[in-house]
Amino acid sequence: MIRLEKITHRYSSPEGGGVVAVENVNLSVAEGKFVALKGPSGCGKSTLLLIAGGLLRPTSGDLEIAGVEPYKLALDERAAFRASTIGFVFQQFHLVPYLDVLDNVLAPSLASGRKDRKRAEALVEQFGLTPRAYHTPSALSTGERQRAAMARALYNKPKVLLADEPTGNLDPENADIVLKQLVAFADQGGAVLMVTHASDASAVADEIITLGH
């Protein structure tokens, strides 16, 4: 489902030379598998996740997601591919501040063109957010915001979930809810790649890959 081969990424700098964020990394996540990516700060975990998500072209190497090489697509085709195939979950949620929970969950329909209010409502209920459906993010707890972000990530029925420290800001109860949903996604045939520092998060993964060691 996810295949990264000899991925290297160098960030340029005004002084020249640049900084190598990841170098010659090989990584794969099969259908139905949950892989945790660990390592010290600055070792390139988040950079690798952006590359895997079709958001950051690597300096060199090959990437394939669900049988597609996204960096060989035109920009609009790549955006459509991301919208239909990949769900993103971030530590900082990235919810739209002026939209309520339901409309945040529906937001991916703007890219896919498939607006399904009943599916959004079902996801809101799945994450225990029905009483908060018409509240904006500022009225939600941290855990509720992350659950809303998870619901949004699942809206387009992606094949892949990419999660960057999804439990980093959560209390144990909400962290458990998020991790169980990630596990369930993999159990249903999806592929999960999660960056994490948390031992409880990595404990639920099928495989742990450590960068920078």
Side-chain angles (χ1 to χ4, degrees), residues 127-149:
F127 283 91
L129 292 167
T130 301
R132 315 291 276 164
Y134 299 105
H135 290 73
T136 56
S138 63
L140 304 179
S141 69
T142 300
E144 287 168 340
R145 291 178 197 176
Q146 188 60 294
R147 282 185 272 146

Side-chain angles (χ1 to χ4, degrees), residues 110-178:
L110 296 173
S112 68
R114 299 190 301 269
K115 189 168 185 177
D116 185 344
R117 192 173 182 86
K118 287 186 177 180
R119 172 158 178 76
E121 289 171 346
L123 285 165
V124 167
E125 183 177 2
Q126 178 180 326
F127 283 91
L129 292 167
T130 301
R132 315 291 276 164
Y134 299 105
H135 290 73
T136 56
S138 63
L140 304 179
S141 69
T142 300
E144 287 168 340
R145 291 178 197 176
Q146 188 60 294
R147 282 185 272 146
M150 275 288 301
R152 178 186 59 190
L154 293 172
Y155 173 81
N156 275 336
K157 300 181 181 179
K159 296 178 180 178
V160 170
L161 277 182
L162 302 178
D164 194 354
E165 296 283 3
T167 63
N169 289 326
L170 304 185
D171 59 69
E173 181 181 354
N174 278 289
D176 186 58
I177 291 170
V178 168

